[in-house]
Amino acid sequence: MEHYTILVLAGIVVLGIGCQWLAWRLKLPAILPLLITGFLVGPVFGWLHPRELLGELFFPSISLSVAIILFEGALTLEFSEIRRLRGVVRNLITVGALVTLIGGGLAAWLLVDLPWLIALLFGALIVVTGPTVIGPLLRNVRPTQRVASILKWEGILIDPIGALLAVIIFDIIIAEGPVGNPSLIALSTFGRIMAIGLVLGVVSGYITAFVIKRYWVPDYLNELFALAMVVGVFALSDVLQSESGLLAVTVMGVVLANSGLHQLHDMWHFKERISILLISTLFIILAANITFDQLSLLGVNSFILLAIVLFVLRPLSIWVSTLNSDLSRNERLFLSWIAPRGIVAASVSSLFAFRLAELGYEEAVVLAPLTFLVIVGTVFLHGSTAKWVAQRLGVAESDPQGFLMMGATIFARALATLLKTNGFAVLLVDTNRRNVQAARIEGLEAYHGNLLSESVQDDLNFGGLGRFLALTSNDEANALACVQMRDTFGARKVYQLPPRGENGQEFANSLMGRILFDERATFEMLEALMERGAVIKATLLTEKFTCDEYRRMWGEYALPLLAFRGKKVIVATTDEPFQPEPGWKIVSLVLEEEAKRAGVPVSETA
């Protein structure tokens, strides 16, 4: 029996990570293969029985997993970001969320005969769209920049807000009790839940930030210390007052997100790893735990409810949120169609359904399958049709010309500045915080993080970006990033610096990007040229001053990088001749001062 249990637990982990890999290969939201796998190994074939497998640990393990997921979602809720957001996004996470909350609750109450508070809980659960589903969808669809920005920020910010709404409504239900406690008793119970959850969340958040800021914890333990605090606060809060733990950890995450903690980015990276493992195993367990009896509760009215969510609530939410905005009709129509539900909705709904059923709320049994129906329906429909809809409405960028650059070094920043000055969208991504800060000081858009991370890619706004340049000193990272970005930008528009001499043969037959500029233009060579005072400048080619004349004049003092005319771009690579025509501007890295001292007529080429 012991060996069987170990085998099943190991199988869940292997299947979960396998589903993540399959989702990556097929460019699908991971939630779909995870849920399908869970249904297959659970109710369909009967290989996995989570309650029998975990016994008394079933509910505590799910509760802890959901607590960590909610905490990690709350880490993204920075108030400063909300203040800087466009009015449309602020409306979506306030007025729009309220429309979905009340509308979803009313529809569930009328169609599925759920008690009003449980119906309202369903409405709160479907408020959340989720960045883990929106991110891959935006990379595939590539809508216009402001549409992509609205959907991205809505997905990030609605995650903790919707979860907090669901937790509060759940606590109200618990306070009232299945038989309906007298109002004063219910109010007292709810007051204790809110007070203990809020106080513990705020205090633990400030303590965690205080300890980490003063370096009382070594760097390698920061993330694990925060995780231990989350688990401890969740348990302590639930001991002091049942059902207050989820509120405590959510508030703790919000406090940390707004504490000015510079180690927060490292927590996000750690969050990605732990979340992938938790979500991969949790979803298979949750889906496997659903029975055919529960699925049979989904009648015709359940599918009518799904249709209302798709075709009434989302369009109404967008219409209310975009009043008096400058969005076009087609942009509003596209926003009305895109709202796939994701991880938070599935995990929280399952946890609450189990908990409410244990407490005597028989009607709550349908909550999990109903939420899963909305998740699968929205993810499948929106994911499979979003690109077609965007193209038909004219909100998909047909040929974006902007640049995504991995690396924010001196050379990358100089090139990005010139491109931005000439009207191109540019986004720099770097793991070096100083490089990112320098880029932002220079007025460039920069993101601190590892571009090889799926969560970082999901957070980025790819609107307006049509090419990828890998410009770091790490040849392996450059090559791997190019492989990942081929699906987004196409193999022809993915570039990397030439690998160093000792790596050249190793990379000769491997998958990588097109080699930039010149075979000798390695990272070290570019850095050396910048240290010698090289600058990046654009020069207009004419009928008299052609590309050949330009090369003859500058000679060894210029390294051509790319050329542009209007919004059209040609990037210099080693696999194609680089010969821009008159009327184009050629961009080069030039040793201007050295050229002047050598007698090159620099002024004539400016």
Side-chain angles (χ1 to χ4, degrees), residues 24 49 85 126 186 207 251 273 374 450 481 491-492 507 533 547:
W24 171 75
H49 304 281
L85 288 173
I126 63 170
I207 289 175
V251 173
R273 273 79 176 176
V374 173
N450 186 351
R492 184 169 179 77
F507 280 88
C547 183

Side-chain angles (χ1 to χ4, degrees), residues 143-144 328 330-331 334 388-398:
T144 56
S328 67
N330 284 358
E331 287 174 327
F334 182 71
W388 179 82
V389 172
Q391 291 171 345
R392 291 295 298 270
L393 294 175
V395 298
E397 295 185 332
S398 57

Side-chain angles (χ1 to χ4, degrees), residues 269-285:
H269 299 320
F270 177 73
K271 173 200 77 171
E272 177 200 10
R273 273 79 176 176
I274 195 70
S275 289
I276 288 175
L277 182 60
L278 282 176
I279 290 165
S280 300
T281 54
L282 183 63
F283 270 45
I284 290 178
I285 290 173

Side-chain angles (χ1 to χ4, degrees), residues 474-519:
N474 188 322
D475 296 332
E476 290 81 2
N478 288 344
L480 182 57
C482 286
V483 173
Q484 289 190 10
M485 291 298 158
R486 281 184 171 188
D487 292 325
T488 300
F489 296 102
R492 184 169 179 77
K493 295 185 178 181
V494 170
Y495 312 84
Q496 77 168 87
L497 294 176
R500 289 182 290 274
E502 63 268 23
N503 294 337
Q505 187 61 39
E506 178 184 346
F507 280 88
N509 299 319
S510 65
L511 291 174
M512 59 192 303
R514 300 173 67 190
I515 300 300
L516 283 167
F517 313 141
D518 186 276
E519 291 179 352

Side-chain angles (χ1 to χ4, degrees), residues 95-146:
V95 180
L98 190 63
V99 169
T100 306
L101 170 69
I102 296 175
L106 186 61
W109 178 55
L110 293 173
L111 291 171
V112 192
D113 292 328
L114 285 176
W116 171 240
L117 281 177
I118 295 180
L120 200 62
L121 177 59
F122 168 78
L125 291 170
I126 63 170
V127 161
V128 179
T129 55
T132 56
V133 184
I134 286 290
L137 188 147
L138 292 179
R139 290 208 306 275
N140 179 50
V141 175
R142 310 287 297 283
T144 56
Q145 191 162 1
R146 65 176 180 175

Side-chain angles (χ1 to χ4, degrees), residues 306-504:
L306 173 62
I308 290 175
V309 171
L310 288 168
F311 302 112
V312 177
L313 295 183
R314 179 60 177 181
L316 181 60
S317 173
I318 293 297
W319 179 76
V320 172
S321 301
T322 57
L323 286 174
N324 300 320
S325 73
D326 60 349
L327 291 172
S328 67
R329 179 181 65 88
N330 284 358
E331 287 174 327
R332 297 183 193 198
L333 287 174
F334 182 71
L335 290 172
S336 298
W337 181 237
I338 302 301
R341 273 59 178 185
I343 289 164
V344 171
S347 56
V348 176
S349 66
S350 297
L351 173 63
F352 287 173
F354 299 151
R355 189 66 182 132
L356 290 173
E358 286 185 349
L359 293 174
Y361 295 87
E362 297 178 359
E363 306 90 341
V365 175
V366 75
L367 192 61
L370 191 62
T371 307
F372 278 25
L373 175 66
V374 173
I375 293 168
V376 173
T378 55
V379 170
F380 177 77
L381 287 175
H382 295 162
S384 61
T385 62
K387 192 166 188 175
W388 179 82
V389 172
Q391 291 171 345
R392 291 295 298 270
L393 294 175
V395 298
E397 295 185 332
S398 57
D399 189 21
Q401 297 292 321
F403 292 79
L404 172 63
M405 299 183 185
M406 187 171 78
T409 59
I410 296 175
F411 169 77
R413 297 198 302 268
L415 179 59
T417 298
L418 184 140
L419 290 169
K420 180 183 177 183
T421 302
N422 286 275
F424 292 96
V426 183
L427 174 61
L428 301 169
V429 181
D430 202 318
T431 56
N432 187 307
R433 191 180 303 277
R434 291 184 178 178
N435 286 346
V436 172
Q437 290 174 342
R440 290 172 179 170
I441 290 172
E442 294 171 18
L444 299 169
E445 186 177 357
Y447 184 96
H448 177 254
N450 186 351
L451 190 60
L452 298 177
S453 163
E454 287 288 330
S455 66
V456 169
Q457 294 176 27
D458 291 343
D459 286 343
L460 297 179
N461 181 1
F462 284 76
L465 306 179
R467 291 176 175 81
F468 172 67
L469 308 183
L471 304 175
T472 76
S473 60
N474 188 322
D475 296 332
E476 290 81 2
N478 288 344
L480 182 57
C482 286
V483 173
Q484 289 190 10
M485 291 298 158
R486 281 184 171 188
D487 292 325
T488 300
F489 296 102
R492 184 169 179 77
K493 295 185 178 181
V494 170
Y495 312 84
Q496 77 168 87
L497 294 176
R500 289 182 290 274
E502 63 268 23
N503 294 337

